[in-house]
Coordinates of all heavy atoms in Angstrom, one line a residue:
M1 N 0.8 -1.2 0.0 CA 0.0 0.0 0.0 C 0.9 1.2 0.0 O 1.9 1.3 0.7 CB -0.9 0.0 1.2 CG -1.8 1.2 1.3 SD -2.9 1.0 2.7 CE -3.5 2.6 2.8
D2 N 0.5 2.2 -0.8 CA 1.3 3.5 -0.9 C 0.9 4.4 0.3 O -0.3 4.9 0.4 CB 1.0 4.2 -2.2 CG 1.8 5.4 -2.4 OD1 2.4 5.9 -1.4 OD2 1.7 6.0 -3.5
E3 N 1.7 4.6 1.3 CA 1.4 5.3 2.5 C 1.4 6.8 2.3 O 1.1 7.6 3.2 CB 2.4 5.0 3.6 CG 2.3 3.5 4.1 CD 1.0 3.2 4.7 OE1 0.3 4.0 5.3 OE2 0.6 2.0 4.5
T4 N 1.7 7.3 1.0 CA 1.7 8.7 0.8 C 0.4 9.2 0.0 O 0.2 10.3 -0.3 CB 2.9 9.1 -0.1 OG1 2.9 8.4 -1.3 CG2 4.2 8.8 0.7
V5 N -0.5 8.2 -0.3 CA -1.7 8.5 -0.9 C -2.9 7.8 -0.2 O -2.8 6.6 0.0 CB -1.7 8.1 -2.4 CG1 -3.1 8.4 -3.1 CG2 -0.6 8.9 -3.2
Y6 N -4.0 8.5 0.0 CA -5.1 7.9 0.6 C -6.3 8.4 -0.2 O -6.5 9.6 -0.4 CB -5.3 8.2 2.1 CG -6.5 7.6 2.7 CD1 -6.4 6.4 3.4 CD2 -7.8 8.2 2.6 CE1 -7.5 5.8 3.9 CE2 -8.9 7.6 3.1 CZ -8.8 6.4 3.8 OH -9.9 5.8 4.3
V7 N -7.2 7.5 -0.6 CA -8.4 7.9 -1.4 C -9.6 7.4 -0.6 O -9.6 6.2 -0.2 CB -8.4 7.4 -2.8 CG1 -9.7 7.7 -3.5 CG2 -7.2 7.8 -3.6
G8 N -10.5 8.2 -0.3 CA -11.7 7.8 0.5 C -12.9 8.7 0.2 O -12.9 9.5 -0.7
N9 N -13.9 8.5 1.0 CA -15.1 9.3 1.0 C -15.3 9.9 2.3 O -15.4 9.2 3.3 CB -16.3 8.4 0.6 CG -17.6 9.2 0.6 OD1 -18.2 9.4 1.6 ND2 -18.0 9.7 -0.6
A10 N -15.5 11.2 2.4 CA -15.6 11.9 3.7 C -16.8 11.4 4.5 O -16.7 11.2 5.7 CB -15.7 13.4 3.5
G11 N -17.9 11.2 3.9 CA -19.1 10.7 4.6 C -18.9 9.3 5.2 O -19.2 9.0 6.3
V12 N -18.2 8.4 4.4 CA -18.0 7.1 4.9 C -16.9 7.0 5.9 O -17.0 6.5 7.0 CB -17.6 6.1 3.7 CG1 -17.2 4.8 4.2 CG2 -18.8 6.0 2.7
D13 N -15.7 7.6 5.6 CA -14.6 7.6 6.5 C -14.9 8.4 7.8 O -14.5 8.0 8.9 CB -13.4 8.2 5.9 CG -12.8 7.3 4.8 OD1 -13.3 6.2 4.6 OD2 -11.9 7.8 4.0
G14 N -15.6 9.5 7.7 CA -15.9 10.3 8.8 C -16.8 9.7 9.8 O -16.8 9.9 11.0
A15 N -17.7 8.8 9.3 CA -18.7 8.2 10.1 C -18.1 7.2 11.1 O -18.7 7.0 12.2 CB -19.7 7.4 9.2
T16 N -16.9 6.8 10.9 CA -16.2 5.9 11.9 C -15.3 6.6 12.9 O -14.8 6.0 13.8 CB -15.3 4.9 11.1 OG1 -14.3 5.6 10.4 CG2 -16.1 4.0 10.1
N17 N -15.2 8.0 12.7 CA -14.3 8.7 13.6 C -14.9 10.1 14.0 O -14.2 11.1 14.0 CB -12.9 8.9 13.0 CG -11.9 9.2 14.1 OD1 -12.0 8.9 15.2 ND2 -10.8 9.8 13.6
G18 N -16.2 10.1 14.2 CA -16.8 11.4 14.6 C -16.7 12.5 13.6 O -16.8 13.7 13.9
G19 N -16.5 12.1 12.3 CA -16.4 13.1 11.2 C -15.0 13.5 10.9 O -14.7 14.0 9.8
W20 N -14.0 13.1 11.8 CA -12.6 13.6 11.6 C -12.0 12.7 10.5 O -12.0 11.5 10.5 CB -11.9 13.5 12.9 CG -12.4 14.6 13.8 CD1 -13.2 14.4 14.9 CD2 -12.2 16.0 13.7 NE1 -13.5 15.6 15.4 CE2 -12.9 16.6 14.7 CE3 -11.5 16.8 12.8 CZ2 -12.9 18.0 14.9 CZ3 -11.5 18.2 13.0 CH2 -12.2 18.7 14.1
L21 N -11.3 13.4 9.6 CA -10.6 12.8 8.4 C -9.1 12.8 8.5 O -8.4 12.0 7.9 CB -11.1 13.4 7.1 CG -12.5 13.5 6.9 CD1 -12.8 14.3 5.6 CD2 -13.1 12.1 6.8
L22 N -8.6 13.8 9.3 CA -7.2 14.0 9.3 C -6.8 14.6 10.7 O -7.5 15.4 11.2 CB -6.8 15.0 8.2 CG -5.3 15.2 7.9 CD1 -5.2 15.2 6.4 CD2 -4.9 16.5 8.4
G23 N -5.7 14.1 11.3 CA -5.2 14.7 12.5 C -4.3 13.8 13.2 O -4.0 12.7 12.8
H24 N -3.9 14.2 14.5 CA -3.0 13.4 15.2 C -3.5 12.0 15.6 O -2.8 11.1 15.9 CB -2.6 14.1 16.5 CG -3.7 14.1 17.5 ND1 -4.7 15.1 17.5 CD2 -3.9 13.3 18.6 CE1 -5.5 14.9 18.5 NE2 -5.1 13.8 19.2
F25 N -4.9 11.9 15.6 CA -5.6 10.7 16.1 C -5.6 9.6 15.0 O -6.1 8.5 15.3 CB -7.0 11.0 16.5 CG -7.6 12.1 15.7 CD1 -8.1 11.9 14.4 CD2 -7.6 13.4 16.2 CE1 -8.6 12.9 13.7 CE2 -8.1 14.4 15.4 CZ -8.6 14.2 14.2
M26 N -5.2 9.9 13.8 CA -5.2 8.8 12.7 C -3.9 8.0 12.9 O -3.0 8.4 13.6 CB -5.1 9.5 11.3 CG -6.4 10.2 11.0 SD -7.8 9.1 11.1 CE -9.1 10.1 10.4
P27 N -3.9 6.7 12.4 CA -2.8 5.8 12.6 C -1.5 6.4 12.2 O -1.3 7.0 11.1 CB -3.2 4.6 11.8 CG -4.7 4.7 11.6 CD -5.0 6.1 11.6
T28 N -0.5 6.3 13.1 CA 0.9 6.7 12.8 C 1.4 6.0 11.5 O 1.1 4.8 11.4 CB 1.8 6.5 14.0 OG1 1.3 7.1 15.1 CG2 3.2 7.0 13.7
G29 N 2.0 6.8 10.7 CA 2.5 6.2 9.4 C 1.6 6.4 8.3 O 2.0 6.2 7.1
E30 N 0.3 6.7 8.6 CA -0.7 6.9 7.5 C -0.6 8.3 7.1 O -0.4 9.2 7.9 CB -2.1 6.5 8.0 CG -3.1 6.6 6.9 CD -4.5 6.2 7.5 OE1 -4.7 5.1 7.9 OE2 -5.4 7.1 7.4
V31 N -0.8 8.6 5.8 CA -0.8 10.0 5.3 C -1.8 10.9 6.0 O -1.6 12.1 6.1 CB -0.9 10.0 3.7 CG1 -2.3 9.7 3.3 CG2 -0.5 11.3 3.2
R32 N -2.9 10.4 6.5 CA -3.9 11.2 7.2 C -3.5 11.5 8.7 O -4.2 12.3 9.3 CB -5.2 10.5 7.2 CG -5.8 10.3 5.8 CD -7.2 9.6 5.8 NE -7.2 8.4 6.6 CZ -8.3 7.9 7.2 NH1 -9.4 8.5 7.1 NH2 -8.2 6.8 7.8
H33 N -2.4 11.0 9.1 CA -1.9 11.3 10.5 C -1.2 12.7 10.4 O -0.3 12.9 9.6 CB -0.9 10.3 11.0 CG -0.3 10.6 12.3 ND1 -1.0 10.2 13.5 CD2 0.8 11.2 12.7 CE1 -0.2 10.6 14.5 NE2 0.8 11.2 14.0
S34 N -1.5 13.6 11.2 CA -0.9 15.0 11.2 C -1.0 15.6 12.6 O -2.0 15.6 13.2 CB -1.6 15.9 10.2 OG -1.1 17.2 10.3
A35 N 0.2 16.2 13.0 CA 0.2 17.0 14.2 C 0.0 18.4 13.9 O -0.1 19.3 14.8 CB 1.5 16.8 14.9
D36 N -0.1 18.7 12.6 CA -0.2 20.1 12.2 C -1.6 20.6 12.0 O -1.9 21.8 12.2 CB 0.6 20.3 10.8 CG 2.0 20.0 11.0 OD1 2.7 20.4 12.0 OD2 2.6 19.4 10.0
V37 N -2.5 19.7 11.6 CA -3.9 20.2 11.2 C -4.8 19.0 11.4 O -4.5 17.8 11.4 CB -3.9 20.7 9.7 CG1 -3.6 19.5 8.8 CG2 -5.2 21.4 9.4
E38 N -6.1 19.4 11.6 CA -7.2 18.4 11.7 C -8.3 18.9 10.7 O -8.5 20.1 10.6 CB -7.8 18.4 13.1 CG -6.9 18.0 14.2 CD -7.4 18.1 15.6 OE1 -8.6 18.6 15.8 OE2 -6.7 17.8 16.6
V39 N -8.9 17.9 10.1 CA -10.0 18.2 9.2 C -11.2 17.3 9.5 O -11.0 16.1 9.7 CB -9.6 18.0 7.7 CG1 -10.7 18.2 6.7 CG2 -8.4 18.9 7.3
K40 N -12.4 17.9 9.5 CA -13.6 17.2 9.9 C -14.7 17.4 8.8 O -14.9 18.5 8.3 CB -14.1 17.6 11.2 CG -15.4 16.9 11.7 CD -15.9 17.4 13.0 CE -17.1 16.7 13.5 NZ -17.6 17.1 14.8
W41 N -15.4 16.4 8.5 CA -16.6 16.4 7.7 C -17.8 16.3 8.7 O -18.1 15.2 9.1 CB -16.6 15.3 6.6 CG -17.7 15.2 5.7 CD1 -18.8 14.3 5.7 CD2 -17.9 16.0 4.5 NE1 -19.6 14.5 4.7 CE2 -19.1 15.6 3.9 CE3 -17.2 17.1 3.9 CZ2 -19.6 16.1 2.7 CZ3 -17.7 17.6 2.8 CH2 -18.9 17.1 2.2
R110 N -8.8 22.6 11.9 CA -8.2 23.1 13.1 C -6.7 22.9 13.1 O -6.3 21.9 12.6 CB -8.8 22.4 14.4 CG -10.2 22.6 14.6 CD -10.7 22.2 15.9 NE -10.4 20.7 16.2 CZ -11.1 20.0 17.0 NH1 -12.1 20.5 17.6 NH2 -10.8 18.7 17.1
S113 N -3.0 20.1 15.5 CA -3.7 19.0 16.0 C -3.1 18.6 17.4 O -2.0 18.2 17.5 CB -3.6 17.8 15.0 OG -4.3 16.7 15.4

Side-chain angles (χ1 to χ4, degrees):
M1 179 175 169
D2 184 350
E3 296 298 325
T4 61
V5 176
Y6 182 94
V7 178
N9 176 278
V12 173
D13 292 349
T16 62
N17 198 25
W20 293 102
L21 306 174
L22 190 136
H24 74 275
F25 36 76
M26 293 303 189
T28 303
E30 185 179 298
V31 70
R32 297 184 306 154
H33 178 88
S34 173
D36 299 319
V37 66
E38 298 173 357
V39 177
K40 180 179 182 179
W41 182 257
R110 294 193 302 207
S113 183

